[in-house]
Amino acid sequence: MTHHTLDYARRIREQGYRLTPQRELILDAVCEGGGHTTIDEIYGRLQKKAPAISLATLYRTLDFFCELHLVVSAEIDGQTVYEIAGLTPHHHLICRECGASIHIDHELVQELFDKFQAEYGYTIDMDHMAFTGLCPACRAKAGAGE
Amino acid sequence: MTHHTLDYARRIREQGYRLTPQRELILDAVCEGGGHTTIDEIYGRLQKKAPAISLATLYRTLDFFCELHLVVSAEIDGQTVYEIAGLTPHHHLICRECGASIHIDHELVQELFDKFQAEYGYTIDMDHMAFTGLCPACRAKAGAGE
DNA sequence: ATTACTGCAAAGGATTTGCATGTGA
DNA sequence: TCACATGCAAATCCTTTGCAGTAAT
């Protein structure tokens, strides 16, 4: 997780926006999540370092980061989760039973998008999808149980 | 849209649930949407025929139908949309500019899921995805404009 | 000196819940 | 009959907004 720290300040200021302590702290708190992290988790981490940051600022700042593509978000069964944007798009396979989540790169997904392009003309550009199903372990259990 | 009408009553009663006038009207109202339709649209259609049906019942009934797989739902930019479940899974390509939505069948998507299975062991079983991007027309416009 | 950003508190909107009543099987 | 389902209204949850004050550039 170092790629973004190199130039996020520049990327923010380049567009005429300001780098504030709140923005730095929030970006750190998203980073600390490692992978997917919810608003509440981020807010919890922030409380320890900067109790004064308001939820309103957190919401506004996460939207702001998403627009600048410093952060990506996804909807996972009704919950919005956030994650630091990498250098390249990536996606996730998520187990609906145990919540296990693995990271997959864009390649296989892009192949599908290319087929959509060829067959239907639509240019799909989703860069952070969450695919839900069963992980190998939960699938084994389910198979035995039913 | 006739496939479901053949046996939805049976499918409901088989599980020990009851077929009420409200459930029939709501299922009709989802059907009339043709494709994706929101809670508000469904509620609007219902008002004309059965003004007394409450929003609470509508929410409860749609959840109920989703559990029985009579209806499928999807999240499209923050909005939950509903649609009658077909005999086979299907998905959508949706234009983020003009909202145009096309129906695609499951085959290409299943190929991707099969690769996920082979490479990562995860069994993905999403049966109603929405892929967003640009339709051919909006892509042409965007290409010219920028 | 500007004007973007923040905090607070209130507003807003969507969805859920408790409970008494009604009704399908 | 009797458990399931409904309607109403209130409650709850999440997110957004207005505005006055603060701070980055």
Side-chain angles (χ1 to χ4, degrees):
Chain A
M1 285 299 163
T2 54
H3 49 270
H4 80 279
T5 58
L6 300 172
D7 61 346
Y8 74 90
R10 183 176 56 72
R11 287 171 66 186
I12 288 172
R13 284 195 267 246
E14 242 169 21
Q15 318 267 329
Y17 300 115
R18 293 173 185 175
L19 183 62
T20 64
Q22 287 90 338
R23 288 181 174 172
E24 299 194 82
L25 286 162
I26 290 171
L27 198 58
D28 285 348
V30 175
C31 267
E32 281 164 30
H36 290 157
T37 185
T38 64
I39 292 255
D40 285 344
E41 291 164 355
I42 298 167
Y43 193 60
R45 264 174 251 129
L46 279 175
Q47 299 281 37
K48 294 174 193 159
K49 299 186 180 175
I53 293 184
S54 72
L55 253 182
T57 296
L58 179 53
Y59 277 103
R60 283 187 286 228
T61 303
L62 287 171
D63 283 353
F64 170 79
F65 286 156
C66 286
E67 268 161 38
L68 262 64
H69 300 290
L70 293 173
V71 165
V72 290
S73 67
E75 229 23 56
I76 299 176
D77 64 40
Q79 274 252 313
T80 305
V81 295
Y82 297 88
E83 186 170 8
I84 292 294
L87 295 171
T88 54
H90 73 271
H91 310 275
H92 297 268
L93 305 184
I94 295 167
C95 179
R96 113 167 56 79
E97 288 299 322
C98 68
S101 162
I102 67 170
H103 209 274
I104 62 173
D105 70 36
H106 186 56
E107 189 190 331
L108 289 179
V109 174
Q110 186 60 49
E111 286 174 19
L112 177 67
F113 291 175
D114 289 345
K115 289 178 193 162
F116 287 158
Q117 177 73 257
E119 292 206 20
Y120 306 102
Y122 273 62
T123 308
I124 303 301
D125 56 6
M126 299 176 82
D127 61 1
H128 191 227
M129 301 186 74
F131 296 90
T132 56
L134 292 177
C135 70
C138 290
R139 179 170 158 67
K141 272 180 238 157
E146 286 166 45
Chain B
M1 284 301 163
T2 54
H3 50 270
H4 79 279
T5 60
L6 300 173
D7 62 346
Y8 72 91
R10 183 177 57 70
R11 286 171 67 186
I12 288 172
R13 284 195 269 247
E14 241 169 22
Q15 318 267 330
Y17 300 115
R18 295 174 185 174
L19 183 62
T20 64
Q22 288 90 338
R23 287 180 175 172
E24 298 194 83
L25 286 162
I26 290 171
L27 197 58
D28 285 349
V30 175
C31 266
E32 281 164 31
H36 290 157
T37 184
T38 64
I39 293 257
D40 286 344
E41 291 164 355
I42 298 167
Y43 193 59
R45 264 175 250 129
L46 279 175
Q47 299 281 37
K48 295 173 193 161
K49 300 185 181 176
I53 292 184
S54 73
L55 253 183
T57 296
L58 180 52
Y59 277 103
R60 282 187 285 224
T61 303
L62 287 170
D63 283 353
F64 171 78
F65 286 157
C66 286
E67 268 162 37
L68 261 63
H69 300 291
L70 293 173
V71 165
V72 290
S73 69
E75 237 10 66
I76 298 175
D77 62 42
Q79 275 253 311
T80 304
V81 296
Y82 297 87
E83 185 169 7
I84 291 294
L87 294 172
T88 53
H90 74 272
H91 311 276
H92 297 268
L93 304 184
I94 295 167
C95 179
R96 113 167 56 81
E97 288 300 323
C98 68
S101 163
I102 66 170
H103 209 273
I104 62 172
D105 69 36
H106 187 55
E107 188 191 333
L108 288 179
V109 174
Q110 186 60 49
E111 285 175 19
L112 177 67
F113 291 176
D114 289 345
K115 288 178 192 160
F116 287 158
Q117 177 72 257
E119 292 206 20
Y120 306 102
Y122 273 62
T123 307
I124 303 302
D125 56 6
M126 298 176 83
D127 60 1
H128 191 227
M129 302 187 74
F131 296 91
T132 57
L134 292 177
C135 70
C138 289
R139 180 171 158 65
K141 272 182 237 157
E146 285 165 47

